[in-house]
Amino acid sequence: MEACVMEGATLRCGAVSGLSTVANAVSLARLVMERTPHIYLAFDGAEAFARDQGVETKDPSHFITEHNIERLRQAKEANRVQIDYTQPLKGQQTPQETPAPIPTDNSQTGTVGCVAVDAAGNLATATSTGGLVNKMAGRIGDTPVVGAGTYANALCAVSATGKGEEIIRHTVARDVAALMEHRGLPLRDAAARVVAGAPRGTVGLVAVSRGGEVCMAHNTTAMFRACATEAGHAEVGIWTDAGADGESVTVAL
């Protein structure tokens, strides 16, 4: 498991990866940010830090389920690295043919990301994931990479999901902030440009601006997403908006 958390006003951040016993990876990432002079801890060092801090841990067997064992078996049988959904059976559509890095049933897990802004305009973001199915040992995705899967500054906070390698290549989260900072684009336009610049079917993100504009953009078939405001507005979505031609940008004020 891996995770990252970042504060926009201070640019303080913390990240962890290679975890196999920590119950809540993002909580450990926050401790890296708050209690160490570093930004990123991984593998044995991160696990040792978790023990030193007394965070909740579980035996690695706690995280193993029959469903995921089957999912891994199918991926190995197909000799394929998969994003967060089950390998179709033979004769069904393959992941390469389906431009969606998220599941279409109710039994899957994947990246969880959150962005927030308070009444004073302070921004924060956090992302956590278990990564790819059948990934190589030691593989690190975009989630704990500041500026790729997770980023916040004084203008916006961004959390990304999808194919980690593409998100890293396109520095997705930082590019949204950079377009706002250097080109003066509003959040919606910045997010749409970044998502459109990545290969179709590989990227989704949630973002919020200092002014409270919420954007949930993706170039995939679907992305589980939601937002809520203190005023009582709530919005939930899964599928691509009608007429979006595979790219969707949803804004809530």
Side-chain angles (χ1 to χ4, degrees):
M1 294 169 287
E2 51 196 30
C4 182
V5 62
M6 187 167 187
E7 293 180 348
T10 62
L11 298 183
R12 292 200 309 161
C13 47
V16 291
S17 63
L19 302 177
S20 59
T21 69
V22 176
N24 298 290
V26 74
S27 297
L28 187 62
R30 181 173 182 174
L31 291 177
V32 172
M33 177 181 73
E34 295 179 339
R35 299 184 183 179
T36 82
H38 307 304
I39 290 175
Y40 198 154
L41 296 179
F43 298 95
D44 291 347
E47 294 277 2
F49 177 66
R51 292 192 295 272
D52 290 343
Q53 296 299 310
V55 303
E56 182 182 6
T57 59
K58 301 283 188 179
D59 185 88
S61 63
H62 170 79
F63 304 99
I64 299 174
T65 67
E66 290 300 320
H67 171 75
N68 282 327
I69 289 173
E70 176 60 18
R71 190 165 64 149
L72 177 60
R73 184 195 66 78
Q74 292 176 350
K76 287 181 175 294
E77 186 178 83
N79 192 28
R80 182 173 295 149
V81 177
Q82 295 175 207
I83 309 177
D84 304 317
Y85 50 74
T86 300
Q87 168 72 30
L89 298 176
K90 292 181 179 179
Q92 292 182 333
Q93 199 175 34
T94 68
Q96 283 85 347
E97 297 166 344
T98 306
I102 68 153
T104 55
D105 63 42
N106 296 320
S107 59
Q108 311 298 324
T109 58
T111 301
V112 178
C114 180
V115 294
V117 60
D118 67 13
N122 296 306
L123 293 151
T125 179
T127 317
S128 182
T129 189
L132 300 175
V133 179
N134 200 28
K135 62 187 179 183
M136 293 179 63
R139 182 261 186 187
I140 295 172
D142 65 287
T143 290
V145 179
V146 174
T150 311
Y151 188 77
N153 64 6
L155 296 176
C156 69
V158 184
S159 177
T161 183
K163 187 174 181 181
E165 283 70 17
E166 294 298 339
I167 294 171
I168 293 171
R169 289 187 184 103
H170 291 82
T171 56
V172 165
R174 171 56 190 164
D175 272 12
V176 173
L179 286 170
M180 296 180 69
E181 181 178 355
H182 301 298
R183 298 291 295 274
L185 296 183
L187 177 63
R188 175 190 175 97
D189 293 346
R193 182 172 297 188
V194 170
V195 169
R200 186 169 179 178
T202 62
V203 173
L205 62 84
V206 293
V208 64
S209 72
R210 180 172 55 192
E213 180 186 23
V214 175
C215 181
M216 301 177 283
H218 58 100
N219 65 9
T220 59
T221 300
M223 181 179 76
F224 293 117
R225 58 197 185 274
C227 71
T229 70
E230 187 176 11
H233 173 83
E235 181 177 327
V236 178
I238 299 177
W239 306 107
T240 299
D241 292 345
D245 192 27
E247 295 176 4
S248 176
V249 179
T250 303
V251 175
L253 298 178

